[in-house]
Amino acid sequence: MARVRYFAAAQEAAGRDEETRGEATLGALRVAVAADHPGLGGILPRCAVLVAGERADDDTVLTADTLVDVLPPFAGG
């Protein structure tokens, strides 16, 4: 089961800072977390989603050891 960490606005929208998920691919994970946490639906498409610290596509396979970070866009200077 992949460990998913949410940061900033994604954390607020999900109502938690992390959770463990069982989806097999990043694409399935995106769909499932948007369904489970409706507040994420509006911001998830704009978030950087990193798998093991790197950007990944929806076909990326997730394993029990996978760390997924959901980072909304940040503003500032």
Side-chain angles (χ1 to χ4, degrees):
M1 298 183 93
R3 182 172 150 214
V4 181
R5 298 187 302 182
Y6 301 101
F7 295 88
Q11 179 182 9
E12 288 181 34
R16 64 192 65 213
D17 59 353
E18 71 177 61
E19 66 181 321
T20 303
R21 303 291 306 201
E23 290 77 26
T25 65
L26 183 56
L29 177 84
R30 286 177 185 267
V31 170
V33 298
D36 290 350
H37 308 295
L40 275 175
I43 66 167
L44 192 57
R46 297 187 318 256
C47 289
V49 179
L50 306 178
V51 175
E54 300 197 10
R55 288 193 181 258
D57 63 28
D58 283 348
D59 294 328
T60 300
V61 174
L62 305 178
T63 67
D65 299 342
T66 304
L67 178 62
V68 178
D69 291 324
V70 180
L71 304 153
F74 293 94

